[in-house]
Structures are given as structure tokens and as C-alpha cells.
Amino acid sequence: MMNTNRFIKSLFISFLVASPLWVQAQEEYGTNDGDISDAEVVIQKDRQLALPLANRYFDKMDKTVRERSDKPISYDLKLLNYDLPEMNPPINPARIHHQKAENLYGNYLKAGFGNYITPYLEGFFNSRQNDRMDYGVRFKHLSSGEGAVYKDLSASSLNQLDLFGTVYQGSDKISAYIGHTRRVVHYYGFDEPVEEVNKDDIRKMTNLLTFGGAYNIVRSRNDFEVTPRLDGYIFSDNFDATEYNFELSATGKYKLNKDNSLSLDVGAVLNQAKQSLTENEQSVELKNSRNILYVSPSFNGKADAFTYSVGVRFAYSSDSTELDKNIYIYPNLHAYYNIDEGKLGAFVDIEGNLERVTLRSLNEENPYIGQLQQLVHADKLVDLTAGFDFIPISNVSVRGSAGYALIKNLGFFVNNWEDVSRFDVVYNDETTGNFHIGLEGSARFRELTASLSSQLNAYSVSDELQEPWHRPTMINKLSVNYQYLEKLTLGTNLIHYGGIKAKAFEPDEFGIVQETTTKLKPIFDLSLHADYSITDHLGAFLQLQNLFGQNYERYLNYKARGIQFMAGASYSF
């Protein structure tokens, strides 16, 4: 404590002594007014720094060369066996609760009635879901008691009955079918007074019995598939025309590897046709034996975005007509290139074929064909077509094409000059050129679906034939459907035919029949339909056809019915 007091006293005395000196220094500093006097500072460096060399107390390492030994190395592997106890996890597998399958109705009935005294009945009866087989029956009746002209003299009817079935055996399947179609039309395109026409004389009835079966064999392990099949039909009419046709064929495909395969199409066709005509108690009969053998091998390949098929078609025909050349060889080449996968592609097809012409095919194309027709197959020498596929946006697709074909013995329909209500088939024995342009498109936007097809044809025929009689140069088709509130479906269809020319026969002032060319008016057929689901089983429908009320002529002298409507109901069970 005493030392602390001494220290405080010493510090206080030192402060008193130094105070005058500190005050004097402050006064002198203030008189110089902050000026800095001149001074020279010299820094001189004479000393050099040098470090002595360090001593190294180690040497560089020498490279050691290892001696190779050729002694074989032996291994001794010992298996370690462990007996693990069985593990019984206390976990139960999850159970899948099978949902009840939606009730799909396999049977369907539809009936209605329309103007022109038109009853309609159609039914489908199909088997329920079955992994081993399916089968069904379909029938249809549609008739009109009156037509566009002369009331019942232009009546028509159609009756169909079809049975089919398929049996599944693993990856294979066996299918069979049989059906009958009965069609009635009248030759109402006459030019004589209606009072002189007998309905039974102009009535034409055709019957068609079809049958066949196929056995599809698939061997996935061997990359092999083959389908032998038998198809046949018997065609007849009430004018004593009969045709028998049997075709035994097989298609096969063998996969060489991932990108390449071989295909083969072979077949044999037996056709016998008989036609007869009786006039003034004199009968004329015409028989044709028309058999065909064909073989079509091809090689199919793929290289990146390029797919192709290279093949050839061989055919042998024993047709009794003098226009048949017996042996036919055609190209069968196809190529496709994906320019932009899923959006844009281009294709080229070069092909030919022997297109069969039969009594059945002629009557299905033109039901007003007459009797004693010459039957000649169309020899399509080559058809070169190039085109593109384009998908601009999702659910919209467009296909365009253009090409040129050379066809020999192409047939055309011409009115018979003695009876203009009946048609004859005339053939261009020279080569017919056919330039064709096609455009197809489809779109789907939620409940709205639409499809469009357009085709333009230009024919070059011989001077003797003059015109491509009754072949339209333009065909356009539009279809639109709209689903409204799941119960109502609305739709429309528009069909347009243009550029049809016909050969007409008219007497001059002296009563001599003269040939003239008639251009038929363009065809515009607009139809509307509506289907409404009243319940899950019951529905109603309404159909309107030819809303423009145009009595157009697809074939000369045959006017179509005007506006047609039909209403009815449907039932599913």
C-alpha cells in the first residue's frame, strides 16, 4: 500500500514539471503556421547480400532393372461355402383388385324408314370377349319402292347375310367366312314410252355367294410367317349369266435380320363364266375359261431412315380371249425416306399388275350393264407414283402424290345404241395413259374428326375410242364428324364427281342414229346424319341425303333420287 502511494506521488510531480515545456512547444508550433521546412533525405545502400552454397547430403537414385522370371504361376482357388439360414420376410405380396370389365355389347339392331317407301333393317350379332374364338352374324335389308323416275319402275333393293368366325391357337389363327348378297335394280334409263315398258322385262336381280378361309401361321422364334387361304364366289343373275371363281393363295414372310426380310405371294385363280341372251326365240351363249397363275417375290430392307422393297410380279393367264398375251412381267419397287422422323417423308412406287375384270366386278361397278359382255383383264404395264407424307401438327396428317400409268385393255362403259338403258364394255386395245394426282388428309381435334380425299385423272385414249367414257376426271370426298356431350354425334359427307363424258345416240332429221358426246353435269351430293344415345341400350338416328336435291346422273339416262331422309332407332344388347 505504501509503494502504491509513492508511485502516485512521483507521477503527479512529473506531470507538474513537464506541463510548462508542453505549453511552450504548442506556442512555437503555432507561430510557424503549419509550414514544413526544407530538408534532404539520402538513402544509401552499399552492402551486398550473398548466400553461401548449401551442401547436398544425398545422391541421385539409380534405376533398378527387374529380372523377368518365366516361372509359371499356379493358382489355388478354394470355394467358401456358407450355410445361410432361410429368410422368411414378414411381408405379404400386394393383391391386385381386378376391376370389373366394362360391359361391351356384342349385339346391335338398327331400323328406320324413309321417303321413296324405303324400309331399313340392319343387325350385328357377335360373340362376347373370348381368348379362344370369336364369331358373328351380320344382316342388312335396304329397299326403295320408288325411284327418281317412273315410281316403281326405278325401285331397288339390297339384302345381305354374312357369317364369320376365328379360332386362336397360340400365335396362330384360323378364320372362315360365308355370305350372300342379293341385289335388285331396274333398267329405267329407257327412251321409249313408259306405257310400253313391262316391269318384269327391265328387272335385274343378281346373287352373289362368297366363302373362304385362311390359316395364319406365325413362328416368332424362327422369324417366319405364312398365311395360306382359299377364297371363292358364285355369281349369277336372272338373265342366265353365271360365274364361278376359286382362288388358292399364300403369302409368306421370312425375317433375315433386324432390318431385312423376304416376302413371297403366290396363287392360282380358276374362273369360269357363262353368259346367254335370248331374243326372238333365238339364244346366244358365250363361255369364257379364264385361269391365272401368279408369283411375286420381293426383298425388303431398311438403312437408317430409308426403307425399300425390291420385287417382281410374274403372271400367266390362259384367258380364251384373243387380247390375252398369256405371260406378264411387272416391276414391284417401293422406296420410302424419312426426311424428318414423324413429320415429313417421301416415297416412290414403281409397279404393275394384271387387274382382273370379271362379271362380278363389272356388275358391282355398274349395275346397269347388259348381257353378253366381253371380259378382258386390264394389263397395267407400269405405274410410277411419287409423293410425300406430312404431319404439320399433332393429329393432322397429309399425303400427296402424282404419277403416270400405262394401261392396256382398259375398259369403259358406253350405252348400247339399240337399248340405251343398258351398257356395254368397250376396251382400248391400245395403251391408255393415265396421269393422276392425289391428295388425302385427316385431322382430329378433341371431339371433331375430319377426312378429305381428292383425285384428279387425265386419260389419253386412242382416236377410235375418242373419250374415256363414264370415267370421272375429278373425285372429291369430305367427311366431318362431331361428338357433342357424349350422347349426340353429328356428321356430314360431301361427294363431288366431275368431268364425266358419255356417248349418246340420237336420231337426226332423217331418222338415222348419230353418235354425240355428252358431258354430264357435276355431281354434288351432300348428306347429314345425327345419332343420339337415349340410354346405354337405346338410341335414335336421322339421315338426310342429296340435300341439294340434284337429280344427277352418274351414268347417262339414270337420274338419282332427290332429297332423301330417314329416321329410326337402334338397340344394343
Side-chain angles (χ1 to χ4, degrees), residues 9 57 65 163 169 173 288 329 529 534 561:
K9 290 179 180 181
Y57 297 101
V65 180
L163 295 86
Q169 297 180 343
K173 64 179 181 179
N288 296 93
I329 302 177
H529 65 86
I534 302 174
R561 295 180 178 92

Side-chain angles (χ1 to χ4, degrees), residues 28-39:
E28 293 178 356
Y29 179 80
T31 58
N32 293 334
D33 198 19
D35 294 335
I36 299 175
S37 60
D38 294 335

Side-chain angles (χ1 to χ4, degrees), residues 263-267 294-298 311-314 332:
S263 299
L264 182 64
D265 187 5
V266 298
Y294 60 89
V295 179
S296 179
S298 62
V312 63
R313 289 192 179 109
F314 300 96
N332 187 18

Side-chain angles (χ1 to χ4, degrees), residues 29 70 102 121 137 170 227 328 481 542 550:
Y29 179 80
D70 295 333
E102 184 180 355
L121 178 64
V137 179
T227 305
Y328 302 86
N481 289 280
L542 175 66
Q550 181 187 21

Side-chain angles (χ1 to χ4, degrees), residues 19 34 42 46-47 57 108 129 164 200 210 212 223 251 271 293 296 310 330 341 353 372 387 420 492 500 517 560 562:
S19 296
V42 178
D46 296 331
R47 186 176 179 179
Y57 297 101
Y108 180 75
Q129 295 178 348
F164 59 89
D200 293 335
T210 58
D223 296 324
T251 57
N271 183 281
L293 297 174
S296 179
V310 180
Y330 304 102
E341 183 69 28
N353 202 1
L372 296 180
V420 295
T492 181
I500 303 175
T517 299

Side-chain angles (χ1 to χ4, degrees), residues 488-548:
L488 179 62
T489 301
L490 303 174
T492 181
N493 294 281
L494 176 63
I495 300 176
H496 166 247
Y497 282 54
I500 303 175
K501 294 182 179 180
K503 179 185 289 188
F505 301 94
E506 298 179 358
D508 58 14
E509 56 183 353
F510 301 104
I512 301 175
V513 177
Q514 301 291 335
E515 296 181 2
T516 59
T517 299
T518 299
K519 187 174 182 180
L520 302 184
K521 294 181 179 180
I523 297 173
F524 291 95
D525 192 330
L526 177 65
S527 63
L528 299 174
H529 65 86
D531 295 271
Y532 183 75
S533 298
I534 302 174
T535 66
D536 291 341
H537 297 273
L538 185 63
F541 70 91
L542 175 66
Q543 295 179 355
L544 301 173
Q545 295 181 337
N546 196 9
L547 290 179
F548 295 131

Side-chain angles (χ1 to χ4, degrees), residues 290 292 317 319 354-357 376-379 408-409:
R290 317 170 71 228
I292 297 176
S317 175
D319 200 327
L354 185 64
E355 298 183 344
R356 282 171 262 176
V357 176
V376 181
H377 298 308
D379 181 11
K408 198 170 184 179
N409 301 327

